[in-house]
Amino acid sequence: MDRISLDDLNRADMSGFVAALGDIFEHAPWVAQAAAAARPFPTLQALHTAMGAAVRNEGEDTRLELIRAHPDLAGKAALAGDLTAHSKAEQSGAGLDTMSPVEFETFHRLNTAYREKFGFPFIVCVRRHTRSSILAAFERRLANARAEEIATAVDEICRIAALRLDARVGAPDRLPVNGHLSTHVLDAHAGRPAAGVAVTLVELMGEGRERPVVEAVTNADGRTDHPLIAGRPLPIGTYELRFSIGAYFSARAVPLADPPFLDVVPVRFSLAEPEGRYHVPLLVTPWSYSTYRGS
Amino acid sequence: MDRISLDDLNRADMSGFVAALGDIFEHAPWVAQAAAAARPFPTLQALHTAMGAAVRNEGEDTRLELIRAHPDLAGKAALAGDLTAHSKAEQSGAGLDTMSPVEFETFHRLNTAYREKFGFPFIVCVRRHTRSSILAAFERRLANARAEEIATAVDEICRIAALRLDARVGAPDRLPVNGHLSTHVLDAHAGRPAAGVAVTLVELMGEGRERPVVEAVTNADGRTDHPLIAGRPLPIGTYELRFSIGAYFSARAVPLADPPFLDVVPVRFSLAEPEGRYHVPLLVTPWSYSTYRGS
Amino acid sequence: MDRISLDDLNRADMSGFVAALGDIFEHAPWVAQAAAAARPFPTLQALHTAMGAAVRNEGEDTRLELIRAHPDLAGKAALAGDLTAHSKAEQSGAGLDTMSPVEFETFHRLNTAYREKFGFPFIVCVRRHTRSSILAAFERRLANARAEEIATAVDEICRIAALRLDARVGAPDRLPVNGHLSTHVLDAHAGRPAAGVAVTLVELMGEGRERPVVEAVTNADGRTDHPLIAGRPLPIGTYELRFSIGAYFSARAVPLADPPFLDVVPVRFSLAEPEGRYHVPLLVTPWSYSTYRGS
Amino acid sequence: MDRISLDDLNRADMSGFVAALGDIFEHAPWVAQAAAAARPFPTLQALHTAMGAAVRNEGEDTRLELIRAHPDLAGKAALAGDLTAHSKAEQSGAGLDTMSPVEFETFHRLNTAYREKFGFPFIVCVRRHTRSSILAAFERRLANARAEEIATAVDEICRIAALRLDARVGAPDRLPVNGHLSTHVLDAHAGRPAAGVAVTLVELMGEGRERPVVEAVTNADGRTDHPLIAGRPLPIGTYELRFSIGAYFSARAVPLADPPFLDVVPVRFSLAEPEGRYHVPLLVTPWSYSTYRGS
């Protein structure tokens, strides 16, 4: 989908502007309408700030109405297929569309407890999360006071809007909504980048379950041709990188034990900053390795 | 059980000697009887060598008889409870007593193919193996020629005998039948041994299954009070050491990400030398670690 | 100095071409003249290849004449100031202009021995070397046979020419004459690039002597703003990178011993590939570090 | 020299006791005499504590007298050869007997300034120091107040006495006066201890000067047969361990660059705890290494 240019938005009449951005805030075209008055926007950041200000300048009732326009996470609307396309894509990305009955039950319990305490649905910018981190946030935020939680919900809505805006509008700047995860394998036995190492990234979902995120093979520079994750937020959660080191050294005729001391090397780590830059390299011989959060 | 002293064995009459060592070779007291002639033995090693020589000096028929006196691995005798106490203990150690029907089926298939090809049962010194490495050896040895396989079976029988002898007889020397696996955690953030780190060793059995081997907590010197495995052969196989690093640093009030970049650090490696000395240390900060086969 | 474009050279008349490139080969404008016939050159590499072919197609007498047109290294011509500007710049770069009397004596002795054995001066592409590696090459090449040494001298002359051409001519391609040396400091105590670390690179000249190559301070990304060496060959030799780690951690209020366990961290390494890419990073805490040849 | 047993000291008459321990405190047999009253001493530690208490229970005049009985460091008494045997041995150990005229001048200046300010000589337990750390302590302590400095001088005298006592008296316990410095080289290229690596330890004295401390070669376990320093305090100061890694890998026919990327690996560190335990291992391949303060 081609992006709409910021220039065009600055020049559009009100109905065109609202047509373009009316769904950036869920079921709330009035946010676009209110922000339009602040045109022209020199940057995408300025547009996002103006839309956020439009929400925050409203009274609590209006903000609550905005919050309440959002569906429950993994709730009945999801089961009934009754979500906006945006919400559906976002919820499925975090694996909320493929839970077990027990997990639906957990979400249902938390949704109910949250609604009972606060009177509005739990809102989180799902694309910054895994199922595990959503559950952790759910439990943590249930302990908040109501005013704090209203502010948090608005913050999350603005994060959701930022992601939608960044995807929708072409501008000289980009919003800081994306993270970056990369790796690098260095063969310290031969003193050169390790080419041809199979690398798998999986998300660890708890209780021994996992799901694949990406598979790649290192190139001549010991890197993967594409970042492991880029162009989107890094979902907060726990991951394992698995490097097929035994096959690599075996293919290079390096003498190995049988079975090799190191075969698949797992590196387990958590991503905590969705907009962060993570580099997780491996420096490896058949008998040793080191890894670290690099840059 | 108290060990019999080598001195007493050297001085015993023939019936006493055979009573003491007659079951070192399965169902073959004649091995002890033949070895007795070479007394006195200055060392346990000399006794073991003499018993092995007694077997190897016999003709093929006798050696085959000895081989055939051994039960199938995880075979009908095991199912029927019809094993010598020795064999039963040895087979259960490698987890051969708790297989799934599919695994029994695999063993049954291999046992049958092996018997059909060679005319005798597959023999392996089970205490040097895990289920995975037994299966790998099974597949590999099925490709051997018959003469080679007879020799291999006798070698394995002598390994079994060495373990039994080492447990039975007190002597100035010990047989080199045991391995040693240890770990050490060094906190490179504070520059001192990491005390109080929970460490778990599990055997990885393939297809995502695992079984616990030992749990420990590091002491003031960053080591475990006892080696992870000692006083026995190290079963050939793949293992994972898991270090609870996140809890350690968190308890020391070191600033961490949320969730911490490193929480449980898995170190996956294979043991290939059952009588070897393996040291697998971890040098760790909240953001990096290294490990290696040390000594 | 602006570069001459390859296009202009392709279009120039013979006298213009020779005027532009006549001194690429020392005192031998005939090389340019001979190569001119092969125009047009699509790339700089093609031009360099043609000039090398022009030399190698000549008989031994002509090649010897070319070789003999070069001055002795650190010889009388240098003492008398009687060198071409090119030769002077090249010799001073390797420190050949600042030797002690003993070192001049060593060079004099080697020059004499070489001339006596081969009948022509010792030629080496000085910009690819340090004084130490020139001496090592000198000793090694003195053992060569004459034919081998003539070929080696021509190879070195072509390397000198490549450097001169690459500096003189603008073209779509560049000749592979340059190397690259960089570093990176990662603070594994805090899990981020180490900014503000003073880094010094010195050449170790043997017998405890050294000379500074470059000083830098790491930036926010833990790198130096410019590579330590780039845009020229890496002189073969031994170096030490010195990282002021104690000052860095002290400035960040990290608890240290007094004196700190690590203060200046020296990393000593040799460069052996003048056209290579070397990355020598440091991963450091107040109590540990690692380094490696990276990429 | 055989040690006197603590038992014998406990049973000796007063004159025997004072004869045995009268010189533990420089020119002050009265300290032994006073401590004798507290006999019997169950441990050497108890004896040392009693002697220290005897000093600290005296009035300032007596303590000053004790302090003033000590010679200047590297002072006129040293130049004139007019030191007790103890003092002479202790001062020469730290290299105070081989200073340049400039260094003598520095010590002279500091001695004079110290005496002028405090009215007594600067006292330090020399065996816990290098020349550099003595100078650093000198400068630092010059800034102290007089009462603080009297206490510091007594503390240092008690440290000197502890070392003398520990060498003189045989007892079930030892005084905690000794440190321990060891190393270990692990070959991560081959996955085993690196045997036959030449290791040199030098003290870095500042301004590019150094002096050798010990040379060793690693044994089959990758360690040196004896600790690098043991059985004495570790002199506070800066050191460099130099590992001849290039020769090691070259002797094992490992492919190396020419010159090898790593040849002599220097590890520079400071010892700050004279009674501490330092382990400084090297984990190395031809292209990488790591080191840390181990235990």
Side-chain angles (χ1 to χ4, degrees):
Chain A
M1 190 182 77
D2 281 352
R3 287 193 173 101
I4 307 162
S5 83
L6 186 60
D7 280 352
D8 287 351
L9 288 173
N10 278 329
R11 283 191 298 257
D13 61 16
M14 176 62 77
S15 70
F17 187 84
V18 172
L21 303 184
D23 62 348
I24 293 293
F25 283 73
E26 192 94 354
H27 299 303
W30 59 266
V31 180
Q33 194 155 10
R39 290 186 292 173
F41 299 112
T43 61
L44 191 53
Q45 185 66 63
L47 167 56
H48 180 255
T49 302
M51 295 184 91
V55 172
R56 293 189 177 95
N57 288 339
E58 290 292 332
E60 185 175 297
D61 284 356
T62 307
R63 275 179 286 143
L64 282 174
E65 199 176 333
L66 173 65
I67 292 170
R68 289 189 180 117
H70 288 74
D72 280 348
L73 274 181
K76 285 182 198 156
L79 285 173
D82 194 18
L83 296 177
T84 64
H86 270 152
S87 286
K88 186 167 153 61
E90 288 160 5
Q91 296 204 13
S92 73
L96 298 182
D97 57 340
T98 55
M99 294 191 284
S100 70
V102 171
E103 290 168 323
F104 268 112
E105 179 50 37
T106 302
F107 268 94
H108 182 65
R109 178 180 54 77
L110 288 164
N111 275 326
T112 304
Y114 189 95
R115 268 194 184 274
E116 273 174 15
K117 174 163 181 184
F118 297 117
F120 51 83
F122 175 76
I123 298 178
V124 69
C125 177
V126 169
R127 278 171 62 78
R128 302 174 74 248
H129 285 274
T130 59
R131 203 149 74 197
S132 305
S133 69
I134 289 172
L135 284 172
F138 224 144
E139 302 275 10
R140 190 175 59 240
R141 284 170 53 187
L142 257 172
N144 279 352
R146 188 162 187 272
E148 188 181 2
E149 198 51 24
I150 292 175
T152 300
V154 169
D155 289 348
E156 292 292 318
I157 287 171
C158 288
R159 282 174 162 160
I160 297 167
L163 279 161
R164 293 176 179 179
L165 263 189
D166 193 66
R168 177 81 52 86
V169 181
D173 62 323
R174 308 305 314 155
L175 294 180
V177 291
N178 295 327
H180 195 274
L181 173 65
S182 59
T183 189
H184 184 203
V185 187
L186 204 99
D187 172 352
H189 187 269
R192 71 189 131 210
V197 177
V199 181
T200 305
L201 177 70
V202 300
E203 178 196 332
L204 302 186
M205 308 173 79
E207 295 166 25
R209 289 187 304 164
E210 60 185 53
R211 57 177 201 165
V213 177
V214 67
E215 301 194 358
V217 174
T218 57
N219 57 26
D221 195 33
R223 303 178 194 277
T224 55
D225 287 339
H226 306 286
L228 298 170
I229 308 178
R232 57 156 294 156
L234 305 176
I236 297 170
T238 302
Y239 298 83
E240 211 166 86
L241 265 169
R242 296 181 187 144
F243 300 92
S244 294
I245 283 308
Y248 166 79
F249 282 117
S250 178
R252 299 180 67 84
V254 173
L256 300 176
D258 177 22
F261 181 65
L262 299 178
D263 187 7
V264 172
V265 169
V267 173
R268 192 180 298 177
F269 60 94
S270 290
L271 299 175
E273 305 162 29
E275 294 79 24
R277 196 171 181 84
Y278 288 79
H279 182 61
V280 183
L282 186 76
L283 178 65
V284 68
T285 78
W287 306 98
S288 66
Y289 62 90
S290 61
T291 187
Y292 51 92
R293 179 175 177 182
S295 67
Chain B
M1 190 182 77
D2 281 352
R3 287 194 173 102
I4 307 161
S5 84
L6 186 60
D7 280 352
D8 287 352
L9 287 174
N10 278 330
R11 282 191 300 258
D13 61 15
M14 175 62 77
S15 70
F17 187 85
V18 172
L21 303 183
D23 61 347
I24 293 293
F25 283 73
E26 192 95 353
H27 299 302
W30 60 265
V31 180
Q33 195 156 7
R39 288 186 294 173
F41 300 112
T43 60
L44 192 53
Q45 184 65 64
L47 168 56
H48 181 254
T49 301
M51 294 184 91
V55 172
R56 292 191 178 96
N57 288 338
E58 291 291 334
E60 186 175 300
D61 284 355
T62 308
R63 276 180 284 145
L64 281 174
E65 200 176 330
L66 174 65
I67 291 170
R68 289 189 180 119
H70 287 76
D72 280 347
L73 275 182
K76 285 181 197 156
L79 285 173
D82 194 16
L83 296 177
T84 64
H86 270 153
S87 286
K88 187 169 152 61
E90 288 160 4
Q91 296 204 12
S92 74
L96 298 182
D97 56 339
T98 56
M99 294 192 285
S100 70
V102 170
E103 290 168 322
F104 268 112
E105 179 51 37
T106 301
F107 268 93
H108 182 65
R109 179 178 54 75
L110 289 164
N111 274 326
T112 304
Y114 189 93
R115 268 194 184 274
E116 274 174 15
K117 172 162 183 186
F118 297 116
F120 51 83
F122 174 77
I123 299 179
V124 69
C125 178
V126 169
R127 277 171 63 78
R128 302 175 74 248
H129 284 273
T130 58
R131 204 150 71 198
S132 306
S133 68
I134 289 172
L135 284 173
F138 224 145
E139 302 275 10
R140 190 175 59 240
R141 284 171 53 187
L142 257 173
N144 280 353
R146 190 164 185 271
E148 187 181 3
E149 197 52 22
I150 292 174
T152 300
V154 169
D155 289 348
E156 292 292 318
I157 287 171
C158 288
R159 283 175 161 159
I160 296 167
L163 279 160
R164 294 175 179 179
L165 264 188
D166 193 67
R168 177 81 52 84
V169 181
D173 62 323
R174 307 307 313 155
L175 295 180
V177 291
N178 295 327
H180 195 275
L181 172 65
S182 60
T183 189
H184 184 204
V185 187
L186 204 100
D187 172 352
H189 187 268
R192 73 190 131 210
V197 177
V199 180
T200 305
L201 177 70
V202 300
E203 178 199 331
L204 302 186
M205 308 174 78
E207 295 167 24
R209 288 186 307 163
E210 61 184 52
R211 58 177 201 165
V213 178
V214 66
E215 300 193 358
V217 173
T218 56
N219 57 28
D221 195 33
R223 304 178 194 277
T224 56
D225 287 341
H226 306 287
L228 297 171
I229 307 179
R232 59 156 294 157
L234 307 175
I236 297 169
T238 302
Y239 298 83
E240 211 167 85
L241 267 169
R242 297 182 186 143
F243 300 91
S244 294
I245 284 308
Y248 166 79
F249 282 117
S250 177
R252 300 179 66 85
V254 172
L256 301 175
D258 178 22
F261 181 64
L262 300 177
D263 187 6
V264 172
V265 169
V267 173
R268 191 180 298 178
F269 59 94
S270 290
L271 300 175
E273 305 163 29
E275 295 78 24
R277 196 172 181 83
Y278 288 79
H279 182 60
V280 184
L282 187 75
L283 177 67
V284 67
T285 78
W287 307 96
S288 66
Y289 62 91
S290 61
T291 187
Y292 52 91
R293 178 176 178 182
S295 67
Chain C
M1 189 181 78
D2 280 351
R3 287 194 172 102
I4 307 161
S5 84
L6 186 60
D7 280 353
D8 287 351
L9 288 174
N10 278 330
R11 283 191 299 257
D13 60 17
M14 176 63 77
S15 69
F17 187 83
V18 173
L21 303 183
D23 62 348
I24 292 293
F25 282 74
E26 192 92 355
H27 299 304
W30 60 265
V31 180
Q33 194 155 8
R39 290 186 292 174
F41 299 112
T43 60
L44 191 52
Q45 184 66 63
L47 167 56
H48 181 254
T49 301
M51 294 185 92
V55 172
R56 293 189 178 95
N57 288 339
E58 291 292 333
E60 184 175 300
D61 284 355
T62 307
R63 276 178 286 143
L64 282 174
E65 198 177 332
L66 173 64
I67 292 170
R68 290 190 181 117
H70 287 75
D72 280 347
L73 275 181
K76 285 181 197 157
L79 284 172
D82 193 17
L83 296 177
T84 62
H86 271 149
S87 287
K88 186 168 153 61
E90 287 159 6
Q91 296 205 12
S92 73
L96 298 182
D97 56 340
T98 56
M99 294 192 285
S100 70
V102 170
E103 290 169 323
F104 267 113
E105 181 49 37
T106 301
F107 268 94
H108 181 65
R109 179 179 53 77
L110 288 164
N111 275 327
T112 303
Y114 189 94
R115 268 194 184 273
E116 274 173 15
K117 174 163 181 186
F118 296 116
F120 51 82
F122 174 77
I123 299 179
V124 70
C125 177
V126 169
R127 279 170 63 79
R128 302 175 75 248
H129 284 274
T130 59
R131 204 149 73 197
S132 304
S133 68
I134 289 172
L135 284 172
F138 224 144
E139 302 275 9
R140 190 175 60 240
R141 284 171 52 187
L142 257 172
N144 280 353
R146 188 162 187 273
E148 188 181 3
E149 198 51 24
I150 291 174
T152 300
V154 169
D155 288 349
E156 292 292 317
I157 287 171
C158 288
R159 281 174 162 159
I160 297 168
L163 280 160
R164 293 176 180 179
L165 263 189
D166 193 67
R168 178 80 52 85
V169 181
D173 62 323
R174 308 306 314 157
L175 295 179
V177 292
N178 295 327
H180 195 273
L181 173 65
S182 58
T183 189
H184 184 203
V185 187
L186 204 98
D187 172 351
H189 187 269
R192 71 189 132 211
V197 177
V199 181
T200 305
L201 177 70
V202 300
E203 178 198 331
L204 302 186
M205 308 174 78
E207 295 166 24
R209 289 186 305 164
E210 60 184 54
R211 57 177 201 166
V213 177
V214 67
E215 300 194 358
V217 174
T218 56
N219 57 26
D221 194 34
R223 304 178 194 277
T224 56
D225 286 340
H226 306 285
L228 298 171
I229 307 179
R232 57 156 295 155
L234 306 176
I236 296 169
T238 303
Y239 298 83
E240 211 166 86
L241 267 169
R242 296 182 186 142
F243 300 91
S244 294
I245 284 307
Y248 165 79
F249 283 116
S250 177
R252 299 178 67 84
V254 172
L256 300 176
D258 178 22
F261 181 66
L262 299 178
D263 186 8
V264 172
V265 169
V267 174
R268 192 179 298 177
F269 60 93
S270 290
L271 299 175
E273 304 163 28
E275 296 78 24
R277 195 170 181 85
Y278 288 79
H279 182 60
V280 183
L282 187 75
L283 178 66
V284 68
T285 79
W287 307 97
S288 66
Y289 62 90
S290 60
T291 187
Y292 52 90
R293 178 174 178 184
S295 67
Chain D
M1 191 182 76
D2 281 351
R3 286 193 173 104
I4 308 160
S5 84
L6 187 59
D7 280 353
D8 287 352
L9 287 174
N10 278 330
R11 282 190 300 258
D13 61 17
M14 176 61 78
S15 70
F17 187 83
V18 173
L21 303 183
D23 61 348
I24 293 293
F25 283 73
E26 191 94 352
H27 300 302
W30 60 265
V31 180
Q33 195 156 7
R39 290 186 292 173
F41 299 112
T43 60
L44 192 54
Q45 184 66 64
L47 168 56
H48 181 254
T49 301
M51 294 184 90
V55 172
R56 293 191 178 96
N57 288 338
E58 290 293 333
E60 185 174 299
D61 285 355
T62 308
R63 277 179 284 143
L64 282 174
E65 200 177 330
L66 174 65
I67 292 170
R68 289 187 181 120
H70 287 76
D72 280 347
L73 274 181
K76 285 181 196 156
L79 285 173
D82 194 16
L83 297 176
T84 64
H86 270 152
S87 286
K88 186 169 152 61
E90 288 160 4
Q91 295 204 12
S92 73
L96 298 182
D97 57 339
T98 56
M99 294 193 285
S100 70
V102 171
E103 291 168 322
F104 268 113
E105 180 49 38
T106 302
F107 269 93
H108 182 65
R109 178 178 54 76
L110 289 164
N111 275 326
T112 305
Y114 189 94
R115 269 193 183 274
E116 274 175 15
K117 173 163 182 187
F118 297 117
F120 51 82
F122 174 76
I123 299 178
V124 70
C125 178
V126 168
R127 278 171 62 78
R128 301 175 76 249
H129 285 274
T130 58
R131 204 150 72 198
S132 304
S133 68
I134 290 172
L135 284 173
F138 225 145
E139 302 275 9
R140 189 175 59 240
R141 285 170 52 187
L142 257 172
N144 280 353
R146 189 162 186 273
E148 187 181 5
E149 197 52 24
I150 292 174
T152 300
V154 169
D155 288 347
E156 292 293 316
I157 287 171
C158 287
R159 282 174 161 159
I160 296 168
L163 279 160
R164 293 176 179 179
L165 264 188
D166 193 68
R168 177 80 52 85
V169 181
D173 62 323
R174 307 307 313 157
L175 295 180
V177 291
N178 295 328
H180 195 274
L181 173 65
S182 59
T183 188
H184 184 204
V185 187
L186 204 100
D187 173 352
H189 187 267
R192 73 189 133 210
V197 177
V199 181
T200 305
L201 177 70
V202 300
E203 179 197 329
L204 302 187
M205 309 174 77
E207 294 166 25
R209 288 186 306 163
E210 61 184 53
R211 57 177 201 164
V213 177
V214 68
E215 300 192 359
V217 173
T218 56
N219 57 27
D221 194 33
R223 304 179 194 277
T224 56
D225 286 341
H226 305 285
L228 298 170
I229 307 179
R232 59 155 295 156
L234 307 175
I236 296 169
T238 303
Y239 298 83
E240 210 166 85
L241 266 169
R242 297 182 186 143
F243 300 90
S244 294
I245 283 308
Y248 166 79
F249 282 117
S250 177
R252 298 180 67 85
V254 172
L256 300 176
D258 178 22
F261 182 64
L262 299 177
D263 186 8
V264 172
V265 169
V267 173
R268 191 180 299 178
F269 60 94
S270 290
L271 299 174
E273 304 162 29
E275 295 79 23
R277 196 172 181 84
Y278 288 79
H279 182 60
V280 183
L282 187 74
L283 178 66
V284 68
T285 78
W287 307 98
S288 65
Y289 62 91
S290 60
T291 187
Y292 51 92
R293 177 174 179 183
S295 68

